[in-house]
Amino acid sequence: MTRTIVASATREIVIGFDQPFCVIGERINPTGRKKLAAEMVAGNFETVIRDALEQAACGATMLDINAGVTSVNPNETEPGLLVQTLEIVQNLVDLPLAIDSSVSAAIEAALKVAKGRPLVNSVTGEEEKLEAILPLVKKYNVPVVAISNDETGISMDPDVRFAVAKKIVERCADFGIPAHDVVVDPLVMPIGALGDAGRQVFALLRRLREELKVNTTCGLSNISFGLPHRHGINAAFIPMVIGAGMTSAIMNPVRPQEMEAVRGANVLNGTDEHCTNWIKTYKDYKPSEGGHAVAAPVAVNAPGDAAGGRRRGGREARMSRG
């Protein structure tokens, strides 16, 4: 069984088909958030701190950390800012982190100060990216997100996206990186623009699980881009992709409707043994006026749960990056 291990200084989480769905909190990302970008450039991390604490309280398994505040000279601006952001967050919350950057110098700078075993987000099938990122992944012995596009861009053909994923897994093997440390992003397309985007990704996920035997992730909200009431689509999408084999997603854990879908899917998928986390979270459930659950914020992979993480000592933005 494929098991991808990520860790903070004190908590280890396993991403896998037999594990609770891994929720990677997306909020600490200035892409498309002009106010947050301006704050970070000015050295103001109040929003970063608030987002880190809120996502952890709402049940995130991991947090994604991005410091791409500008497309102008990112090799100069991003490494230092990413390190600063990462250090602030890992001293605030006891969650594994994903280092989110397309700048290899920023990734390496962050890996030097990261505690535990972070997830590198990400590498594509472009040869230049493979040669820049994979040596770092091997050197620091960390897992990596593999995005299924290459020099030709993002293909609308799911067979091509599978072929790119396979190529990345094989290139990782060339560098001595095992398949269980590769988390494939098959690229979720907007259902409003591509009517079979859902069926495409469900089929891709089954192939990735059965043929490549890799864990998977996605920018969850890409599916609902351009549609009204996006959270309803996202919430419906979650149990379907989990049923098809997806094991993690970069998403907003602050949205109760979507987190209820994650927790319910864990129950029905058998990864919340004895419904322990569901009961802990919703035992005092009361519908609010808006119809949403009022429940204590409990982590999806709560420490001590039978199928959760364990203690140890001592998408629009994603798709636009390509």
Side-chain angles (χ1 to χ4, degrees):
M1 188 63 71
T2 301
R3 300 168 71 82
T4 303
I5 296 174
V6 293
S8 66
T10 56
R11 180 185 295 189
E12 183 179 279
I13 294 293
V14 178
I15 303 172
F17 306 122
D18 61 342
Q19 299 296 310
F21 191 67
C22 179
V23 174
I24 306 173
E26 70 180 6
R27 295 288 295 163
I28 304 174
N29 187 336
T31 308
R33 299 179 69 188
K34 292 182 180 180
K35 182 175 180 292
L36 176 59
E39 288 179 0
M40 293 173 69
V41 169
N44 178 356
F45 292 90
E46 291 179 6
T47 300
V48 168
I49 291 168
R50 183 172 62 250
D51 283 346
L53 294 173
E54 185 177 28
Q55 289 183 106
C58 289
T61 317
M62 299 178 61
L63 297 183
D64 187 77
I65 310 297
N66 183 295
V69 295
T70 177
S71 59
V72 179
N73 296 326
N75 287 306
E76 297 178 11
T77 61
E78 199 165 323
L81 190 56
L82 183 59
V83 166
Q84 191 175 5
T85 307
L86 183 80
E87 290 183 319
I88 288 170
V89 174
Q90 70 183 0
N91 288 327
L92 271 178
V93 298
D94 181 27
L95 294 177
L97 303 179
I99 297 170
D100 185 354
S101 178
S102 59
V103 178
S104 56
I107 291 174
E108 182 163 28
L111 285 170
K112 288 179 179 178
V113 301
K115 299 175 182 177
R117 195 170 197 249
L119 174 67
V120 169
N121 181 17
S122 57
V123 69
T124 67
E126 299 165 272
E127 198 59 37
E128 181 181 354
K129 292 293 184 182
L130 293 167
E131 292 293 334
I133 303 300
L134 295 188
L136 297 176
V137 172
K138 176 61 177 177
K139 177 181 178 179
Y140 290 92
N141 186 28
V142 291
V144 63
V145 173
I147 300 181
S148 301
N149 70 285
D150 58 15
E151 290 88 352
T152 64
I154 299 172
S155 174
M156 294 297 105
D157 185 341
D159 290 335
V160 172
R161 299 207 299 278
F162 177 83
V164 174
K166 184 177 180 182
K167 169 191 170 182
I168 298 173
V169 171
E170 290 171 347
R171 294 289 281 115
C172 283
D174 292 341
F175 281 86
I177 301 163
H180 64 249
D181 274 341
V182 183
V183 181
V184 171
D185 181 345
L187 290 172
V188 172
M189 303 298 175
I191 192 74
L194 189 66
D196 64 345
R199 294 193 300 274
Q200 277 193 11
V201 76
F202 303 147
L204 260 173
L205 287 168
R206 295 185 185 101
R207 290 191 69 189
L208 290 166
R209 174 173 177 161
E210 294 167 8
E211 297 180 39
L212 297 187
K213 296 178 172 56
V214 291
N215 281 309
T216 45
T217 195
C218 72
L220 187 88
S221 64
N222 286 338
I223 192 68
S224 62
F225 180 75
L227 293 176
H229 188 39
R230 296 183 64 183
H231 303 298
I233 294 291
N234 296 346
F237 186 56
I238 287 166
M240 296 187 76
V241 289
I242 292 176
M246 186 166 279
T247 50
S248 69
I250 298 173
M251 57 181 285
N252 187 351
V254 178
R255 299 293 181 181
Q257 187 176 7
E258 295 171 31
M259 290 302 289
E260 287 166 17
V262 170
R263 294 186 179 106
N266 285 339
V267 170
L268 298 171
N269 206 32
T271 55
D272 182 2
E273 191 172 358
H274 308 301
C275 308
T276 301
N277 193 53
W278 181 271
I279 293 168
K280 186 184 296 184
T281 306
Y282 298 111
K283 61 185 173 64
D284 297 320
Y285 168 87
K286 292 179 182 178
S288 67
E289 290 183 5
H292 296 299
V294 176
V298 178
V300 172
N301 284 7
D305 286 357
R310 59 187 182 273
R311 297 276 181 173
R312 58 179 192 170
R315 168 123 30 187
E316 295 85 74
R318 293 173 58 75
M319 293 186 68
S320 68
R321 287 207 313 267

